[in-house]
Amino acid sequence: MTAQATSSIANLPVLGEMAHQTYPSATLYVVATPIGNVTDISLRALHVLSLVNAVACEDTRNTAQLMTRFGLHQPLIAAHQHNEREVAETLIARLQAGERIALVSDAGTPAVSDPGARIVDAVRAAGLRVLPLPGASAAVTALSASGLVNDQFYFVGFLPAKAKQRENFLTTLRSVTATMVFYEAPHRILDCASALAAVFEPERQVVFARELTKMFEEIHRCPLSEAAAWLKADGHREKGEFVVLLEGAPAADEENDAEAERILKILLAECPVKQAANLAAQITGRKKNALYERALQLKDEA
């Protein structure tokens, strides 16, 4: 970027609006920070970080580096997963005294697979204000570039570390129609790919979004059957933090729904409602509870 271009942006009148906005005291500001590229921080986040009395952060070393890069030197308070409840009491006391406190995590939006939710809960329970500042989110960033066409997504976060627990948990997701979003550490990415392949259909599309917004960012989409081979083909692909997106189960089509209802009606002519729903579920693969509700409706209509 040229010096002239930089100057024209810096002098935009809209930047002056920050100084005229309201930043209430006795408020916890939940501030999203960059997930990789430091320049992704918002102008509003920088302004609030310059105003607050202190910053509660996941790792004081990481946040100190971020603040220093922007010439900010507010006091830092360690607020990580092991001390959230305790530090919440300290923050509440300071907020009640009229201070402004910012809450950040190491990267992205606090309280989303990161520490912060317990602090926010405690602050709200104390009757104090919580004000969120939107910004970077690894899950949404990966979704936007995935090309997986779906109006819904299901945020899973990190899977269990143990193989059997991971398999059991994934089995409960087989019928989820929304795009599923997982976070995974580099040393478990192959285990994650293998577990997904063992539970879900091989033709489902999977997206690996690695090192998002960083120098070696990589976003790869392929059928689940090819996932492990792609990861193993290059040692660098097992490095960095991952967002893994999995295509959801196909929605039940109208033809199959009609067939399930036809079978349900036949069974209702001979069986009680509960038994008819159970048998229809076994025959069609449809969910028993949904069939039971429909069976009750059919009985009422008869």
Side-chain angles (χ1 to χ4, degrees):
M1 184 178 289
T2 66
Q4 182 177 359
T6 302
S7 176
S8 65
I9 292 173
N11 292 326
L12 285 173
V14 70
L15 299 184
E17 290 185 14
M18 289 186 297
H20 300 292
Q21 294 179 6
T22 300
Y23 301 94
S25 58
T27 298
L28 179 71
Y29 292 84
V30 182
V31 182
T33 54
I35 58 176
N37 192 318
V38 70
T39 60
D40 284 340
I41 196 165
S42 74
L43 295 173
R44 186 168 170 232
L46 286 176
H47 190 60
V48 165
L49 289 174
S50 73
L51 290 176
V52 295
N53 299 97
V55 178
C57 52
E58 183 177 2
D59 188 318
T60 55
R61 295 165 298 182
N62 291 338
T63 300
Q65 290 179 6
L66 176 69
M67 300 280 284
T68 299
R69 295 187 71 175
F70 291 105
L72 301 173
H73 304 284
Q74 269 65 15
L76 304 180
I77 302 169
H80 45 75
Q81 62 178 338
H82 302 297
N83 75 342
E84 276 192 83
R85 287 297 184 192
E86 293 79 6
V87 79
E89 296 179 10
T90 300
L91 299 181
I92 288 169
R94 296 184 64 163
L95 292 169
Q96 289 172 334
E99 292 191 5
R100 300 180 182 91
I101 305 288
L103 174 66
V104 304
S105 62
D106 285 347
T109 303
V112 182
S113 273
D114 272 339
R118 290 182 178 86
I119 291 173
V120 171
D121 177 49
V123 170
R124 285 196 170 280
L128 294 160
R129 184 171 183 179
V130 177
L131 200 157
L133 274 67
S137 166
V140 174
T141 301
L143 278 165
S144 70
S146 71
L148 295 174
V149 181
N150 196 325
D151 291 336
Q152 299 178 323
F153 70 89
Y154 181 90
F155 181 73
V156 180
F158 287 96
L159 290 169
K162 294 184 178 180
K164 190 60 180 177
Q165 292 177 349
R166 185 166 55 234
E167 179 185 350
N168 291 341
F169 179 69
L170 288 173
T171 300
T172 68
L173 304 178
R174 281 182 56 86
S175 62
V176 173
T177 57
T179 297
M180 285 164 274
V181 184
F182 306 90
Y183 285 169
E184 195 51 271
H187 65 279
R188 287 204 302 263
I189 190 62
L190 270 175
D191 290 339
C192 174
S194 298
L196 292 174
V199 173
F200 298 94
E201 301 84 356
E203 66 272 13
R204 286 211 201 187
Q205 293 288 302
V206 63
V207 176
F208 295 99
R210 184 177 72 87
E211 293 288 84
L212 287 171
T213 77
K214 300 176 185 177
M215 182 180 295
F216 299 108
E217 175 184 275
E218 188 170 19
I219 301 174
H220 178 75
R221 175 174 160 178
C222 64
L224 191 51
S225 59
E226 301 173 8
W230 179 79
L231 287 167
K232 293 176 182 178
D234 185 339
H236 290 96
R237 292 173 184 167
E238 296 180 46
K239 298 178 180 179
E241 298 299 318
F242 284 84
V243 180
V244 181
L245 309 177
L246 181 66
E247 183 181 21
D253 55 65
E254 292 182 4
E255 182 179 344
N256 288 338
D257 284 345
E259 177 65 8
E261 181 151 336
R262 186 185 72 83
I263 292 171
L264 187 58
K265 287 179 178 178
I266 294 172
L267 291 169
L268 281 171
E270 305 293 336
C271 307
V273 170
K274 186 175 182 180
Q275 185 180 6
N278 287 341
L279 290 170
Q282 294 176 38
I283 295 168
T284 66
R286 291 289 186 267
K287 291 184 177 180
K288 181 172 62 177
N289 289 344
L291 288 169
Y292 180 75
E293 292 298 325
R294 183 54 182 151
L296 290 175
Q297 294 173 1
L298 290 171
K299 276 290 189 182
D300 289 341
E301 294 169 4

